[in-house]
Amino acid sequence: MCQSVTAGKTLATPATWYVDDIDQIVEEFALSGVELARYDRFEHNAKGITPRVGCIAWFQDPHGNTFALEAGV
């Protein structure tokens, strides 16, 4: 497998998955050992979910790329 030279270096979120039940997925992630990313400039609940227009939770892959889960209102 060929790794990208930019893997883990982008400040952008390369992919977001829109989900119906973000709480359930975050709980499943936690049970699988996935830690959510927390950013100082955003408010997070105890699970690590950020309330916005809907809700969003960020996580990183082993290369440092940040991905998101988002649920509507």
Side-chain angles (χ1 to χ4, degrees), residues 38-45 48-52 56 58:
R38 294 174 184 254
Y39 300 101
D40 292 337
R41 66 181 177 252
F42 296 112
E43 183 181 315
H44 305 282
N45 68 14
I49 299 170
T50 299
R52 294 179 22 158
I56 190 165
W58 293 277

Side-chain angles (χ1 to χ4, degrees), residues 22-69:
I22 195 168
D23 288 305
Q24 177 186 347
I25 294 171
V26 165
E27 287 177 22
E28 290 175 16
F29 273 27
L31 291 172
S32 298
V34 176
E35 293 183 27
L36 296 184
R38 294 174 184 254
Y39 300 101
D40 292 337
R41 66 181 177 252
F42 296 112
E43 183 181 315
H44 305 282
N45 68 14
K47 293 181 181 179
I49 299 170
T50 299
R52 294 179 22 158
V53 172
C55 295
I56 190 165
W58 293 277
F59 62 98
Q60 294 181 329
D61 70 9
H63 301 288
N65 298 298
T66 301
F67 299 97
L69 300 171

